[in-house]
Amino acid sequence: MSHQAFDPHATLDHLARGARGERLVHVRHLPRREAELVPWPTWVDPGVYAAWSGAGVTHLWSHQREMADLARTGRHTVCATGTASGKSLGFLVPVLTALAEGSHAPTGRGATALYLAPTKALAADQLARLEAMAVPDVRAAVYDGDTPTDERRWIRDHAHYVLSNPDLLHHSLLPGHQHWAPFLRALKFVVVDECHVYRGVFGAHTSAVLRRLLRVAARYGSRPTVLLASATVAEPARLARALIGQDVVAVTHDGSPREATTFALWEPPMTSADTRRSAVSESASLLADLVLQDVQTVAFARSRVGVEVVASSTRRDLSEVDPTLVSRVAAYRGGYLPEERRELERGLRERQLLGLAATSALELGIDIAGLDAVVIAGWPGTRASLWQQAGRAGRTGTESLAVLVAADDPLDTYLVHHPEAIFEAPVEASVFDPENPYVLTPHLAAAAAELPLTEADTQWFGPTLPRLADALVAGGVLRRRPAGWFWARSDRPSDHVELRGIGQTVRIVESRTGRVLGTVDEARAHSAVHTGAVYLHQGHPYVVSELDLIDASAQVVAGDPGWSTQARSTSEFRILRADRQHQWGAATLSFGAVEVTSQITSFLRRLPTGEVIGEHPLDLPVRTLSTMAVWWTLPEDELALAGVGEPEIPGALHAAEHASIGLLPLVATCDRWDIGGVSTALHTDTGLPTVLVYDGHPGGAGFAEQGFRQARQWLAATVETVQACECAVGCPSCVQSPKCGNGNSPLSKVGAVRALQHLLAEQGRPR
């Protein structure tokens, strides 16, 4: 099959030949979409227009023009359109025009702009595009943690367009804003690219940083217009408003062309009574098959280990059929080194590479074109990511093929059997809580160090500012004076806050060399790197010899002991307050604040067969988490009416809890590792059988609240997934959890279905 003759339908028929046909669950044809072309605005700078028209861009797509016109009038704007829809041009037209116009000012910098991206690679790619366009009189530069010291002063004093990230803004630019005074006085635009990435705790941190930036800019007399670009998300204006605390106009009608795509949903076969073949192994087989057919393909896996397995398994399969193709398969391991990216792009562009295994780093960081097919090993977490990954194929005007391979997980199982939930449902809302006190409080301390806080700063940080600032005074962090709240310590507050998490991180140190392999959140450390744990790093096993919580380090020794480990734990919760409730007949659905206490008590050693060969006690402290949760209660007599007798209640509720955790990402942009759950046959605070799902971050992250808001859809999908699963008594595709602290016992699949069905049936009934 030649590249020019690529036929996605024939290719899919080949993949699903013979017995494999049963694995092809659904095929959807996404038709071609024509471009909506509009003329360039008359106000565009001639040099800016010349740069693009010289590259053949003589018209804009409708959404690009809409965003540009809104930005020109000073409206905060978010553009939420599909992959490869040219969002960058939509914000670059007004930004570069303003910079070019400002270059004629006496200072040479009558206008400046700041571009923020979640990764260094995106900023570097944006700079490469700008340099290729060579817009006259506009000086652009990347300013991040890798920028040499001697270049930093020049960028501060002379650059018109600075490309950076929220981390640099937080740790360097804002604490040293006096050095940036001329740049900030002229600040006309702030661009926030890929803003759908800012969700959960990272979203709350980024929101606080952006509000600090706007506050400091106002101190220098500038009121920059914020332009945000996003993959398609639900309620983009709401997301953007949460990020900057001001009203934002959304541009959502996509005027870009799109070639036709054939999209297949694929479910690996059962290998035993209760497990399926892994999505990674199945994807490797598909990738090898596609390479043999001369179909240039990228296969996405969710982890670096998964990427290595896909690449090595694909090469192994090819070596048995056509060894000459082995060298045409590569793994993309991240790191974003420029030379690696260039080599990868060259290999793909020249078709030296036919098969590539990649993490989602490729989804955002590198612009590649001309691929025939995409294989996605397991649901990538959100519909936004799914469309980003699928959009990597067919970007040069040819039809493409995308295959989603379901993982052994409740959400994947539900989605491949409910294609409407992928193709007809709106994308998820990116959720976070900008007023999470655990996130906002340290940022208020940082803001006070930048400029003293006053009551008027509630316009930036919300109505809780006075209460949180007074708490910082009580802790000796701030000092209260008539003029406001002042930083009261000698150190820098920004040094104590990491944007991509909350709390302490634990270093994982190789004992023999002292090399730091990586870090893990303190919350995860208890279960992942306790003494005796087997820890995997880039596919290599290590055994933890000691976890030192005081030193925040775990010492590990390289080697495979021949078994894996699983932590056992106990958990309970206390309801602090119910903020909102729905009465569903005899059932009650609630959302509010809870305190979850948990303790890792022991760990199991398991052979590769799953056989337990020992349980070993651990002496770790109790952890307390104050967070937000959604919970439901159903009286015992109602459960009895549903066919769940008293002895079966613990297993039924436990199974329902696991399944609902697995399905919450259907309605909220979270991963099952971002949330937790507890269930009990009789809870002290409710006096009833209770199932609770909570945000796994102090103060909450917005996920449980989204579950409360969309409870009907969430719980209906949960019961349907469990009921439809092919297994007999429960498996990883429905009610078993990979992180259960009780060893997935007790579990009652049948009881979970009956309890959830009765719960949903109660909705709409009088109390």
Side-chain angles (χ1 to χ4, degrees):
M1 180 185 300
S2 70
H3 176 55
Q4 290 76 15
F6 176 63
D7 181 345
H9 307 287
T11 300
L12 188 57
D13 287 344
H14 174 78
L15 293 178
R17 66 195 182 278
R20 289 208 299 194
E22 294 181 0
R23 306 178 196 182
L24 181 59
V25 179
H26 180 80
V27 179
R28 183 68 59 105
H29 181 72
L30 306 176
R32 189 172 186 270
R33 181 181 65 209
E34 297 293 338
E36 295 179 25
L37 295 174
V38 296
W40 280 72
T42 55
W43 50 258
V44 69
D45 177 79
V48 173
Y49 176 73
W52 260 280
S53 60
V57 183
T58 55
H59 288 79
L60 298 179
W61 293 325
S62 58
H63 63 277
Q64 294 171 330
R65 174 66 188 267
E66 186 182 357
M67 183 182 200
D69 283 338
L70 286 164
R72 182 70 172 177
T73 62
R75 300 287 299 278
H76 300 310
T77 307
V78 57
C79 183
T81 53
T83 311
S85 61
K87 291 182 282 286
S88 295
L89 183 53
F91 60 71
L92 282 173
V93 169
V95 168
L96 295 179
T97 291
L99 299 182
E101 291 169 347
S103 67
H104 305 302
T107 62
R109 275 204 310 185
T112 59
L114 179 65
Y115 168 94
L116 299 171
T119 66
K120 292 179 182 178
L122 263 179
D125 281 0
Q126 281 284 321
L127 180 63
R129 289 182 191 179
L130 287 170
E131 289 175 339
M133 301 313 297
V135 177
D137 304 321
V138 173
R139 296 186 292 268
V142 167
Y143 191 104
D144 60 25
D146 298 334
T147 304
T149 306
D150 55 340
E151 290 181 22
R152 294 188 173 207
R153 180 183 294 239
W154 183 92
I155 292 170
R156 287 198 303 264
D157 293 344
H158 301 290
H160 298 109
Y161 195 29
V162 173
L163 301 102
S164 191
N165 53 64
D167 309 80
L168 189 286
L169 198 60
H170 166 66
H171 286 293
S172 178
L173 191 155
L174 288 172
H177 63 83
Q178 299 88 347
H179 302 298
W180 288 86
F183 180 88
L184 290 168
R185 283 193 192 98
L187 189 60
K188 180 87 171 172
F189 288 105
V190 175
V191 176
V192 183
D193 205 357
E194 303 288 358
C195 69
H196 61 281
V197 171
Y198 302 119
R199 57 182 186 261
V201 170
F202 186 30
H205 277 301
T206 304
S207 170
V209 171
L210 290 171
R211 293 164 192 235
R212 283 164 51 199
L213 170 66
L214 296 176
R215 172 178 178 259
V216 167
R219 160 68 177 77
Y220 289 101
S222 65
R223 290 271 178 174
T225 300
V226 184
L227 305 178
L228 305 100
S230 170
T232 47
V233 291
E235 305 176 276
R238 184 168 169 266
L239 162 65
R241 193 189 192 293
L243 276 171
I244 68 171
Q246 299 179 43
D247 288 335
V248 182
V249 182
V251 174
T252 56
H253 179 72
D254 194 335
S256 65
R258 184 187 68 193
E259 292 300 326
T261 301
T262 299
F263 210 121
L265 305 183
W266 190 279
E267 187 170 46
M270 300 291 284
T271 55
S272 66
D274 58 358
T275 56
R276 290 191 181 279
R277 189 184 190 210
S278 76
V280 165
S281 298
E282 188 77 2
S283 296
S285 298
L286 291 173
L287 181 58
D289 218 342
L290 288 162
V291 169
L292 285 166
Q293 294 294 304
D294 195 38
V295 176
Q296 193 177 36
T297 307
V298 61
F300 285 102
R302 293 199 64 176
S303 68
R304 291 181 62 166
V305 173
V307 165
E308 296 289 352
V309 172
V310 168
S312 60
S313 298
T314 302
R315 292 192 194 104
R316 186 175 63 247
D317 289 354
L318 290 171
S319 68
E320 297 172 0
V321 183
D322 186 350
T324 64
L325 292 174
V326 170
S327 62
R328 301 185 69 182
V329 174
Y332 180 73
R333 299 178 184 82
Y336 294 104
L337 293 177
E339 56 271 23
E340 287 180 329
R341 293 211 313 278
R342 282 195 294 269
E343 184 67 19
L344 178 66
E345 289 172 336
R346 187 181 63 79
L348 289 169
R349 195 164 48 245
E350 298 175 5
R351 288 184 67 82
Q352 292 173 355
L353 283 178
L354 273 180
L356 184 74
T359 63
S360 60
L362 194 65
E363 177 188 318
L364 293 181
I366 298 175
D367 188 15
I368 54 176
L371 296 177
D372 301 318
V374 167
V375 174
I376 302 168
W379 179 249
T382 65
R383 295 181 191 87
S385 287
L386 181 80
W387 296 118
Q388 288 280 100
Q389 293 180 6
R392 290 297 158 203
R395 294 173 60 137
T396 52
T398 60
E399 289 195 37
S400 61
L401 173 67
V403 183
L404 170 64
V405 181
D408 204 3
D409 177 90
L411 182 59
D412 290 51
T413 302
Y414 177 83
L415 289 168
V416 295
H417 289 283
H418 293 79
E420 72 282 358
I422 295 175
F423 300 110
E424 293 156 35
V427 288
E428 308 87 347
S430 279
V431 293
F432 61 90
D433 178 9
E435 295 185 10
N436 180 336
Y438 291 86
V439 175
L440 185 55
T441 300
H443 283 283
L444 291 178
E450 290 151 12
L451 300 166
L453 284 170
T454 69
E455 296 272 359
D457 288 322
T458 54
Q459 67 172 306
W460 306 109
F461 301 114
T464 60
L465 182 151
R467 177 172 57 82
L468 297 178
D470 284 341
L472 287 167
V473 171
V477 176
L478 298 184
R479 184 176 293 117
R480 184 74 196 261
R481 294 176 181 163
W485 293 271
F486 289 73
W487 177 243
R489 292 170 43 156
S490 58
D491 54 350
R492 288 181 10 143
S494 56
D495 292 342
H496 301 290
V497 184
E498 289 300 326
L499 300 192
R500 298 172 195 252
I502 290 181
Q504 191 177 34
T505 56
V506 172
R507 293 168 293 117
I508 300 163
V509 182
E510 189 176 23
S511 300
R512 187 175 56 82
T513 62
R515 182 169 65 104
V516 177
L517 298 178
T519 61
V520 63
D521 289 343
E522 196 264 342
R524 290 278 300 277
H526 289 224
S527 58
V529 290
H530 57 76
T531 301
V534 177
Y535 173 76
L536 282 177
H537 178 70
Q538 296 184 21
H540 301 295
Y542 295 80
V543 177
V544 180
S545 57
E546 182 188 12
L547 171 60
D548 186 339
L549 292 173
I550 296 174
D551 185 51
S553 66
Q555 300 291 323
V556 300
V557 179
D560 186 354
W563 59 75
S564 61
T565 53
Q566 182 181 15
R568 304 292 301 268
S569 65
T570 58
S571 297
E572 56 186 43
F573 64 93
R574 187 163 62 91
I575 295 171
L576 303 179
R577 68 174 190 275
D579 294 338
R580 278 174 273 166
Q581 287 189 326
H582 293 317
Q583 202 66 43
W584 289 1
T588 305
L589 180 78
S590 306
F591 168 75
V594 299
E595 186 178 82
V596 181
T597 56
S598 59
Q599 183 179 26
I600 303 295
T601 56
S602 65
F603 70 94
L604 302 177
R605 288 187 298 140
R606 291 183 185 272
L607 294 175
T609 59
E611 180 188 349
V612 176
I613 56 173
E615 180 171 1
H616 307 271
L618 290 169
D619 183 20
L620 286 166
V622 173
R623 293 192 68 256
T624 301
L625 173 69
S626 294
T627 187
M628 305 302 288
V630 54
W631 65 93
W632 55 265
T633 60
L634 201 55
E636 268 193 41
D637 56 349
E638 293 292 330
L639 286 168
L641 285 173
V644 182
E646 185 180 349
E648 200 182 7
I649 289 176
L653 300 187
H654 192 196
E657 170 216 324
H658 281 184
S660 53
I661 288 172
L663 267 295
L664 185 57
L666 182 69
V667 297
T669 47
C670 64
D671 186 277
R672 72 182 303 153
W673 298 94
D674 292 325
I675 49 184
V678 188
S679 56
T680 175
L682 178 63
H683 191 264
T684 307
D685 294 334
T686 64
L688 295 165
T690 306
V691 172
L692 176 138
V693 176
Y694 61 87
D695 291 342
H697 300 280
F703 307 135
E705 183 175 15
Q706 192 73 1
F708 178 81
R709 288 175 62 194
Q710 301 195 46
R712 175 80 200 182
Q713 179 191 352
W714 168 38
L715 296 172
T718 301
V719 69
E720 197 171 340
T721 299
V722 178
Q723 189 173 23
C725 188
E726 299 173 32
C727 71
V729 294
C731 70
S733 290
C734 58
V735 298
Q736 290 184 8
S737 169
K739 59 175 190 170
C740 179
N742 296 314
N744 283 301
S745 177
L747 290 177
S748 171
K749 176 183 174 179
V750 172
V753 170
R754 290 173 177 169
L756 287 166
Q757 284 179 332
H758 195 72
L759 172 71
L760 289 163
E762 288 294 291
Q763 187 187 18
R765 287 184 186 168
R767 185 168 182 175

